[in-house]
Amino acid sequence: MSDSPTPQAADAGPPGPSAPEAEAAERSWRSACRVGGIAALVSLAASLATMVVLVTVGGPPDTAEEVFALLQDDRLVGLFRLELLSLINVGVYDLTFFGLYAALRRVNPALAALATLLVFAGVTLFIASHPLNSLLTLSDRWAAAATDAERLMLLGAGEALLAADMWHSTGAAFGGTIVEV
């Protein structure tokens, strides 16, 4: 008798998970699907709330001076008008699409993984290009500025941020494109 394994034993590969382990893994994937579904509902709510904000308080201000004044007068309204709800909406895309991946991973694992990775990359680019935090900082500095020259410098910086915001920057355009693919 030889000590070498039989051809069948060599082809068998490592043993699979036990029944309890497989059931635990399946419960985990079902939880991911649920989280994705909840994230989709949050996204819907943020989209509807964005529409309400646009109708009731208006869209984003056109100039840096309007942005800074709005953020100083009513920070919460300013945050809403500067697309805070859109950031939340796009932010939960990752969870929504991971839930979709969890649901579709067995149908076409490679395509589901690729689509999920593209969404993750697109969301990252989109969120990274949003100037909300920078505008908040500049607005506070503008309000505290001691001279007109300092205020003008801060307004220029604000205008540059508005020109490259999430709707106009290359990163956001590319990010939006790969999310839609």
Side-chain angles (χ1 to χ4, degrees):
M1 270 183 116
S2 121
D3 289 336
S4 65
T6 63
Q8 285 179 335
D11 292 340
S18 67
E21 290 171 337
E23 180 58 34
E26 192 57 36
R27 276 194 309 271
S28 179
W29 283 114
R30 280 195 302 267
S31 294
C33 290
R34 270 190 227 99
V35 167
I38 292 167
L41 293 174
V42 169
S43 181
L44 176 63
S47 295
L48 293 173
T50 298
M51 289 181 227
V52 170
V53 166
L54 287 171
V55 170
T56 58
V57 296
D62 294 323
T63 67
E65 189 168 19
E66 290 174 11
V67 169
F68 295 168
L70 178 61
L71 288 171
Q72 293 307 309
D73 292 341
D74 191 338
R75 193 162 285 240
L76 185 61
V77 169
L79 291 173
F80 284 135
R81 288 188 59 194
L82 289 170
E83 308 278 354
L84 176 64
L85 292 170
S86 293
L87 278 173
I88 293 168
N89 188 5
V90 171
V92 298
Y93 282 1
D94 281 351
L95 295 173
T96 301
F97 280 85
F98 184 70
L100 285 171
Y101 169 78
L104 299 174
R105 74 190 190 285
R106 290 190 180 145
V107 176
N108 190 334
L111 193 56
L114 176 62
T116 304
L117 288 173
L118 287 174
V119 168
F120 287 177
V123 166
T124 300
L125 286 169
F126 194 79
I127 289 175
S129 68
H130 196 286
L132 183 61
N133 286 332
S134 299
L135 288 170
L136 286 167
T137 300
L138 289 175
S139 173
D140 291 342
R141 289 182 182 173
W142 178 77
T147 66
D148 287 340
E150 193 178 355
R151 277 190 279 288
L152 282 174
M153 179 188 67
L154 292 164
L155 285 173
E159 290 296 336
L161 286 173
L162 291 177
D165 72 357
M166 71 177 190
W167 302 113
H168 303 102
S169 74
T170 304
F174 184 70
T177 301
I178 63 175
V179 165
E180 292 175 8
V181 169

